[in-house]
Amino acid sequence: MLGTLFFIAAYGIYKTRNTKNIETYLHDNNERKWWEIGLGVMATQASAITFLSVPGQAYDDGMRFVQFYFGLPLAMIVISVFFIPIFYKLKVYTAYEFLENRFDAKTRTFTAGLFLIQRAFSTGITIYAPSIILSQLLGWNLHFTVLFIGIIVTLYILSGGTKAVAVTHKQQMVVIYAGMFIAFGYLIHYLNSFAGFSDSLKIAGTLGKMNLITNGQTDHGFDWSDRYNLISGLVGGLFLQLSYFGTDQSQVGRYLGGESVKESRLGLLFNGLMKIPVQFFILLTGILVFVFYQFNQPPVYFNDVALQNAKTSVYADSLRIKTDAYKAAMQVNAGYTKLLADKLKSDNDIETESAKQDLQKSFLKSDSARIEVNAIIQKANPGIDDDHDYIFMYFVMHYLPVGLVGLLFAVIFSASMSSTSSALNGLAATFAVDIYKRYIHPEAKGKTYLNASKLFTVLFGALAIGFALICSLFDNLIEAVNIIGSLIYGTILGIFLTAFLIKRVRGNAVFVAAIISELVVLYIDFSVRYEWHLPTIQIGYLWYNVIGCLLVMILSFCFSAFQSRRIPPLIK
Amino acid sequence: MEENNKYWLKWYLLVAGFLILQIIIYYFITHQFEN
């Protein structure tokens, strides 16, 4: 593990030792090929959280999370058509520079500010997620692990900026996918002694985990609070991914480093082709872990530290009773799972159907026993939530050979490095270009500008580490990151789409519209989350992106009726 | 210019077509394995 990581970091530093100017540090001299952009974009999005949380998501909620990514290929097309040509034409360093050309300085600063807040917080979670799990599995102190990961990544970017991020994404992707493929192979190998691949999927389907396409319909019509279904994935997902890839500097920085418009477009379209199959594969790995634990006794709780705490707490006695009940239920469950596997081999439809029903009944019992155990453990450990994010690493630790465990830890570290480094680079670039050079030191250039950008990388690294140190574990980390993004992305996207599509709107109109829209989105989420007892709407978070974006566009269009008739410079 | 547009249109259709194909495949997988 250490060998892999040091090779990646050392290679990044070696290849970027000549980074002496601001263009290379922030913008990478525009020399990346399409496949490097495609891999960079994918590595940036695939944080450590993806590999920890997505298999756990499948284990708990089935395959339907794949629908979250359905809007992504469409977003890649829209960005290729509208965003990339404009960014290239205006030769911008950050996406927000364009907003000053189109609107005014305050809209640019407001949007850059929204990005800085959202991304700094998300980066904190990106550092925190692997830290908490690695600290538990390796027995390291949590704060030490957060500092270790945070400092290594910050130093790594400092040594070479965007180029260090870009040149090592390829190596990191190789390590990441090699690790995942090997884990997948081992799962198939272990399951083979009980059931073949197809029968394993049938067992998962019997227990409701093969729900790849869901329509969100209930007896009362479409369920707007349902988080993942075909419609929310295509529409809400499109808006979320449009804002993430079109306006988030951690991604814009990746493809603006392309050699030409063509390379950038091909890189994004490559991502549009590859992303869903990749996520499908990671979710499928989670499903196989789930089936594996139907045959083999799973731990009572996948977060071992929390379990040990509960065992020594005042709840120890009730935990012991519930644990025994859960273990007994899982043993019965394993018996029914084996029976179904045998019946599936026999091709006897009637017996198979009856075995399916038996398994479903026994699974309901074992699942409710698991919920009871979880409730006690959570009572004994205030502030912690589910153990989803620990499931995959627990399997890796206990069932894979030691060398491979090391490789998969390297996967987690390198995924964390790639997404954190892109995010810190994006934060530093945005602060340097949109705040420092715009307001503090407009004459800055050459070495002063480069040094200031490096200083901002250190400051944002420290800020993200600070967030990571005070961050408490969310229900599910991948959802936490996406929810935080959705609170802000809709407004940012609305500002950009207004800029592209509604020519009559100018600075003041869009600025006021953006502030109102952001407040509305925050109200919708907070009023439900914190039970404000005020009128509220319960909707899945993917829809925040649609609401925020459309509100900015509609309101700014209305407000534009009150603006002066002076024509803005860009449209003249 | 028109040649260029045709080139990109082919790419966009490929990406969108692949998305539709995947949704169809996933729909059949759901029906094949679920319950």
Side-chain angles (χ1 to χ4, degrees):
Chain A
M1 179 188 92
L2 289 176
T4 315
L5 290 172
F6 277 111
F7 171 75
I8 289 174
Y11 184 74
I13 292 167
Y14 168 75
K15 289 285 277 189
T16 58
R17 62 197 184 283
N18 294 326
T19 303
K20 290 202 172 66
N21 60 47
I22 189 73
E23 283 77 18
T24 312
Y25 189 75
L26 296 183
H27 216 211
D28 193 20
N29 268 354
N30 293 64
E31 56 187 41
R32 302 252 76 82
K33 298 283 182 213
W34 67 267
W35 56 276
E36 293 173 291
I37 295 169
L39 289 178
V41 162
M42 289 181 76
T44 300
Q45 196 180 23
S47 64
I49 303 167
T50 308
F51 300 96
L52 294 170
S53 205
V54 173
Q57 175 86 18
Y59 187 102
D60 186 61
D61 193 35
M63 296 281 289
R64 71 186 187 127
F65 186 64
V66 78
Q67 298 170 115
F68 172 80
Y69 295 96
F70 284 175
L72 188 142
L74 302 176
M76 296 300 101
I77 295 174
V78 175
I79 292 167
S80 297
V81 175
F82 293 106
F83 289 60
I84 292 181
I86 293 179
F87 288 159
Y88 266 91
K89 197 171 151 196
L90 297 176
K91 293 193 175 70
V92 291
Y93 281 113
T94 73
Y96 317 109
E97 273 182 280
F98 157 72
L99 294 176
E100 183 164 1
N101 285 337
R102 172 65 179 83
F103 296 124
D104 52 22
K106 64 178 178 300
T107 308
R108 168 186 177 178
T109 311
F110 175 71
T111 317
L114 281 181
F115 163 74
L116 290 171
I117 295 166
Q118 186 272 124
R119 186 45 55 190
F121 195 75
S122 298
T123 309
I125 299 182
T126 316
I127 295 174
Y128 178 75
S131 306
I132 192 165
I133 285 166
L134 288 174
S135 74
Q136 187 186 60
L137 297 177
L138 297 174
W140 291 0
N141 174 283
L142 175 62
H143 290 163
F144 170 77
T145 318
V146 166
L147 284 171
F148 177 77
I149 295 184
I151 290 172
I152 292 246
V153 175
T154 310
L155 285 177
Y156 167 70
I157 314 193
L158 219 48
S159 64
T162 301
K163 200 163 178 180
V165 173
V167 290
T168 55
H169 271 155
K170 287 170 276 178
Q171 285 76 10
Q172 291 176 12
M173 288 302 278
V174 170
V175 175
I176 286 170
Y177 289 108
M180 286 303 288
F181 270 112
I182 293 169
F184 188 85
Y186 264 90
L187 272 162
I188 301 264
H189 169 70
Y190 285 135
L191 281 170
N192 248 338
S193 51
F194 302 106
F197 180 62
S198 169
D199 287 350
S200 298
L201 296 188
K202 281 181 188 157
I203 292 168
T206 303
L207 300 175
K209 303 292 180 188
M210 294 301 288
N211 48 356
L212 280 147
I213 303 286
T214 55
N215 58 20
Q217 292 293 332
T218 62
D219 296 340
H220 311 288
F222 186 73
D223 181 5
W224 290 91
S225 62
D226 181 37
R227 283 188 171 170
Y228 311 112
N229 54 57
L230 187 59
I231 307 294
S232 77
L234 278 171
V235 181
L238 167 66
F239 279 79
L240 173 65
Q241 308 291 356
L242 257 187
S243 7
Y244 176 53
F245 286 97
T247 69
D248 188 316
Q249 184 60 28
S250 63
Q251 284 294 5
V252 175
R254 302 283 73 66
Y255 58 78
L256 286 189
E259 202 177 72
S260 61
V261 171
K262 184 179 175 183
E263 300 295 328
S264 296
R265 276 183 173 161
L266 286 176
L268 282 186
L269 295 175
F270 170 76
N271 181 41
L273 288 170
M274 295 302 293
K275 187 70 191 182
I276 300 176
V278 166
Q279 292 301 320
F280 173 82
F281 168 71
I282 299 172
L283 283 163
L284 195 61
T285 308
I287 290 294
L288 293 185
V289 174
F290 170 80
V291 178
F292 175 83
Y293 279 123
Q294 300 311 303
F295 288 110
N296 300 281
Q297 183 76 248
V300 177
Y301 201 70
F302 286 95
N303 178 349
D304 206 39
V305 171
L307 178 64
Q308 296 310 325
N309 278 344
K311 278 182 180 169
T312 53
S313 71
V314 290
Y315 302 101
D317 287 337
S318 54
L319 178 65
R320 193 162 29 79
I321 296 164
K322 295 290 178 195
T323 301
D324 290 344
Y326 174 61
K327 281 184 175 167
M330 278 315 286
Q331 221 156 18
V332 175
N333 201 57
Y336 281 119
T337 314
K338 282 173 190 156
L339 180 71
L340 176 59
D342 290 340
K343 296 297 173 199
L344 284 168
K345 281 179 205 152
S346 75
D347 275 345
N348 182 329
D349 286 350
I350 298 167
E351 286 182 8
T352 305
E353 201 46 48
S354 130
K356 276 186 179 178
Q357 286 172 10
D358 289 340
L359 176 60
Q360 283 167 347
K361 279 182 212 150
S362 99
F363 181 73
L364 275 181
K365 278 186 200 154
S366 62
D367 207 40
S368 63
R370 183 171 106 102
I371 291 168
E372 284 177 21
V373 172
N374 281 9
I376 295 174
I377 293 173
Q378 283 165 19
K379 256 197 267 174
N381 295 274
I384 71 148
D385 275 300
D386 281 322
D387 56 349
H388 303 160
D389 297 324
Y390 295 82
I391 295 172
F392 184 60
M393 285 321 285
Y394 186 94
F395 168 80
V396 167
M397 285 289 288
H398 290 84
Y399 291 96
L400 295 191
V402 178
L404 283 178
V405 175
L407 181 66
L408 277 168
F409 277 148
V411 167
I412 302 292
F413 266 118
S414 47
S416 175
M417 267 164 60
S418 62
S419 49
T420 313
S421 56
S422 292
L424 285 182
N425 192 263
L427 285 165
T430 306
F431 196 82
V433 175
D434 295 297
I435 310 286
Y436 175 73
K437 195 163 168 42
R438 177 70 183 76
Y439 295 106
I440 302 169
H441 199 172
E443 303 304 314
K445 55 186 170 191
K447 215 168 166 31
T448 326
Y449 196 15
L450 176 65
N451 287 339
S453 302
K454 288 189 169 182
L455 175 70
F456 301 142
T457 308
V458 175
L459 292 179
F460 278 106
L463 186 66
I465 293 171
F467 273 132
L469 287 171
I470 57 165
C471 197
S472 72
L473 202 59
F474 287 82
D475 191 25
N476 180 305
L477 290 169
I478 194 151
E479 283 194 331
V481 169
N482 288 325
I483 291 170
I484 294 169
S486 296
L487 287 174
I488 294 202
Y489 277 151
T491 305
I492 299 185
L493 179 65
I495 296 170
F496 274 87
L497 288 188
T498 305
F500 293 147
L501 303 175
I502 313 177
K503 295 245 155 64
R504 59 180 268 187
V505 174
R506 267 167 274 152
N508 287 343
V510 79
F511 183 71
V512 177
I515 290 176
I516 295 174
S517 309
E518 190 50 48
L519 292 174
V520 170
V521 172
L522 291 176
Y523 174 81
I524 292 174
D525 187 80
F526 289 179
S527 61
V528 175
R529 191 177 299 280
Y530 301 112
E531 298 168 2
W532 280 356
H533 302 295
L534 289 170
T536 185
I537 327 168
Q538 284 229 350
I539 45 169
Y541 72 84
L542 278 177
W543 296 108
Y544 298 167
N545 299 286
V546 184
I547 293 172
C549 176
L550 293 182
L551 257 184
V552 173
M553 294 176 78
I554 294 167
L555 289 178
S556 57
F557 182 79
C558 297
F559 294 158
S560 68
F562 304 103
Q563 69 200 1
S564 69
R565 289 181 177 277
R566 192 177 58 82
I567 299 166
L570 195 79
I571 300 169
K572 246 187 245 181
Chain B
M1 191 63 192
E2 201 170 297
E3 199 63 18
N4 198 24
N5 285 348
K6 267 189 193 165
Y7 173 81
W8 287 113
L9 186 64
K10 276 185 206 160
W11 271 104
Y12 300 149
L13 286 175
L14 174 74
V15 174
F18 187 53
L19 170 67
I20 294 167
L21 179 71
Q22 286 178 97
I23 293 176
I24 293 170
I25 293 171
Y26 295 159
Y27 179 80
F28 280 109
I29 293 178
T30 306
H31 273 257
Q32 178 73 22
F33 293 106
E34 190 71 352
N35 290 318

